[in-house]
Amino acid sequence: MPGPVPAWSTPMSEPATDIDVLVVGAGPAGIAAAAELDASGLSVLWIDQRDRAGGAIHRQPAEPEAKPAMPPSVRAQWTRLDRRIAAMTTRLHGETSFVGLDGDGLAILEDRRSATTRLVRPRAVIFAVGAVERVLPRPGWQLPGVWTAGGMQVLLKETGKPPAGRILVAGNGPLNIALAAQLAAAGNPPVALLEAGDPTAHPLHGLALLARPRLLVEAMHYLTRLVRARVAWRRRTRVLSIERIDGALRVECAADNGRRMSFDADHVALHDGIRSNGFGLPAGGVEPFIVHAGDCREALGAVAAEADGSGSALEVIKQLGGGSQAKANHSAVAGERKAQAALAQLFRPADGSGLDHLPDETVLCRCEGRTVGELRALLDANPAISPREVKLNGRFAMGACQGRFCADNTAAIIARAQGLPDAIPADALAGHRWPVRPVSIASLLADHDPNPSTSD
């Protein structure tokens, strides 16, 4: 059972129709933005789809005793953010989702507790909804037992318990190392950690991290746990396919030197990076004034998100005619941008994008079950087809996730097939629309009046 709702998280009651600022999200960027706005005296409505603040990196456990292993720098940031929350008069309205903005500037919100929608008219909106995980398609990635690494990490943070059985962690990027170390600390180390790149082969790229020693300390924290747990870290190795055999997941892999290997596991955690989570969100405008903050704007991690959240709030305060003596910490964001660029070079996959040699039967859009072969056939028959036409005619990025998992991969395959010099943005398929995510018809139709009239 979930733990008690913190005092700073309150159920959504009928909000005032007119407010100054709507803040969507309660990760580092959302917390920092809400705290800055709270101090300015503007009226703020702060919402998150969970019942407590923290976001993905600082996901708070459902049970108080669930405490996954985190490096000291991550714990220190949460301590600082938690103090900012406690000092605010603005309270988080939990279990509330942003649905969309209509043509008159009304924000539609879904209150999950009462299964109703609410309408507010903000003068400004700050979207601080974090990043979205990127996972490359592989044959069998849609099978039960295949997770995203981020999803498994959220489970671990919420419950303190790893999935039972053998776990294989594979893909590309630092998050996989963190997950593997946290699984080991929780008592179930993965059978192996497979990395498509080889950060040990590019030591010069790591020199840029000397300006951010926090990241080096975090890396040593996680790698030490992996060494102690004797987890094999196989670099320059990618997953070729996943299939279910005799109740287990058989994972076929290949190193860049051509060596083949296989692993049997009960769970497979895949991860190939993160990207900003702007899917479906409206772009900036005048009414209301819209700002994207933190990883929602640029995926640079929790430290940059906190600084950018404060900076976005100051931008809104200035736009609305308020006054503030604070200044945006642009240097923190710039420094984290350089660090993330260095990490991208360190973890650069040894075999390129991983999309060029996928078998036709590989599922690309998991929501609609559409395959790589079906996309290739559509492109062969219509060489000049637009991304929008691919979505409408092929139903790619058309499902419940609205392209969060397949739009960027689909766009990359289209660009290659059409010989385009520049990448096609995922938004070319996903678009901007509301509802941003599925919402029940019942909540849209429910009577908002707590004492509804019996008359027509």
Side-chain angles (χ1 to χ4, degrees), residues 17-255:
T17 301
D18 298 317
I19 59 171
D20 289 323
V21 190
L22 170 65
V23 178
V24 183
I31 294 170
E36 203 73 56
L37 292 164
D38 181 80
S40 75
L42 294 173
S43 59
V44 182
L45 177 60
W46 181 28
I47 67 170
D48 192 85
Q49 61 185 2
R50 296 195 74 244
D51 64 355
R52 62 200 70 200
I57 188 68
H58 297 297
R59 182 66 59 114
Q60 297 304 295
E63 300 291 344
E65 63 273 13
K67 295 181 179 179
M70 301 297 288
S73 59
V74 177
R75 294 197 299 269
Q77 186 188 38
W78 173 247
T79 298
R80 181 174 64 252
L81 292 172
D82 197 27
R83 287 171 179 164
R84 296 190 75 175
I85 293 170
M88 294 163 53
T89 58
T90 298
R91 292 291 179 251
L92 176 67
H93 294 276
E95 295 189 46
T96 304
S97 296
F98 172 81
V99 176
L101 282 171
D102 73 3
D104 294 325
L106 284 174
I108 302 97
L109 313 176
E110 182 186 21
D111 179 355
R112 294 181 173 183
R113 287 190 175 102
S114 62
T116 59
T117 53
R118 299 287 187 267
L119 302 177
V120 295
R121 190 187 303 278
R123 297 170 63 200
V125 181
I126 295 179
F127 291 114
V129 295
V132 64
E133 196 166 8
R134 184 168 186 257
V135 179
L136 293 173
R138 289 99 163 166
W141 73 313
Q142 77 281 2
L143 293 173
V146 181
W147 306 53
T148 68
M152 188 175 289
Q153 191 180 55
V154 164
L155 173 75
L156 191 58
K157 289 178 179 179
E158 289 222 2
T159 67
K161 300 176 182 178
R166 298 160 297 177
I167 302 172
L168 179 72
V169 180
N172 178 236
L175 185 141
N176 286 334
I177 297 175
L179 172 62
Q182 288 163 348
L183 289 170
N188 189 8
V191 297
L193 168 60
L194 309 183
E195 168 57 50
D198 185 2
T200 65
H202 310 288
L204 293 179
H205 292 308
L207 293 177
L209 298 179
L210 294 177
R212 289 291 182 274
R214 178 195 84 256
L215 296 175
L216 296 176
V217 173
E218 289 179 11
M220 291 304 300
H221 172 88
Y222 291 131
L223 290 172
T224 299
R225 286 192 177 275
L226 292 179
V227 171
R228 289 175 179 171
R230 298 181 179 180
V231 175
W233 185 23
R234 299 185 182 274
R235 299 175 292 280
R236 306 177 75 90
T237 303
R238 62 189 176 91
V239 172
L240 297 177
S241 65
I242 307 169
E243 58 180 326
R244 185 163 290 281
I245 299 177
D246 297 330
L249 293 171
R250 174 69 52 82
V251 185
E252 298 293 337
C253 311

Side-chain angles (χ1 to χ4, degrees), residues 249-342:
L249 293 171
R250 174 69 52 82
V251 185
E252 298 293 337
C253 311
D256 70 329
N257 62 7
R259 182 190 172 200
R260 298 292 185 98
M261 64 197 82
S262 65
F263 297 88
D264 287 343
D266 301 296
H267 307 275
V268 178
L270 299 176
H271 171 85
D272 296 287
I274 59 174
R275 53 157 293 164
S276 57
N277 185 15
F279 283 93
L281 296 178
V286 178
E287 291 291 341
F289 180 64
I290 296 172
V291 180
H292 292 193
D295 282 349
C296 175
R297 183 181 62 81
E298 185 179 6
L300 298 177
V303 171
E306 182 181 358
D308 195 50
S310 293
S312 298
L314 294 174
E315 184 181 352
V316 166
I317 293 169
K318 180 179 179 181
Q319 176 71 22
L320 300 186
S324 174
Q325 300 299 316
K327 294 183 179 180
N329 189 356
H330 297 299
S331 62
V333 176
E336 293 299 312
R337 183 179 296 116
K338 290 179 180 178
Q340 291 300 321

Side-chain angles (χ1 to χ4, degrees), residues 305-443:
E306 182 181 358
D308 195 50
S310 293
S312 298
L314 294 174
E315 184 181 352
V316 166
I317 293 169
K318 180 179 179 181
Q319 176 71 22
L320 300 186
S324 174
Q325 300 299 316
K327 294 183 179 180
N329 189 356
H330 297 299
S331 62
V333 176
E336 293 299 312
R337 183 179 296 116
K338 290 179 180 178
Q340 291 300 321
L343 287 171
Q345 289 298 316
L346 280 171
F347 283 87
R348 186 175 65 247
D351 62 346
S353 72
L355 293 172
D356 295 330
H357 305 294
L358 290 173
D360 281 348
E361 65 271 17
T362 306
V363 172
L364 180 56
C365 174
R366 299 196 300 185
C367 293
E368 295 289 315
R370 306 297 287 170
T371 66
V372 171
E374 289 170 322
L375 176 59
R376 287 170 177 159
L378 182 62
L379 296 172
D380 287 343
N382 306 275
I385 192 171
S386 70
R388 174 73 172 168
E389 291 170 323
V390 167
K391 176 177 181 176
L392 296 177
N393 292 283
R395 297 196 64 79
F396 295 92
M398 184 74 86
C401 85
Q402 289 293 284
R404 283 175 174 80
F405 277 96
C406 73
D408 57 344
N409 294 324
T410 302
I413 293 175
I414 295 172
R416 283 174 172 77
Q418 296 180 343
L420 300 177
D422 298 319
I424 297 173
D427 287 349
L429 282 100
H432 296 282
R433 86 215 70 77
W434 72 272
V436 172
R437 59 181 67 245
V439 58
S440 71
I441 297 297
S443 68

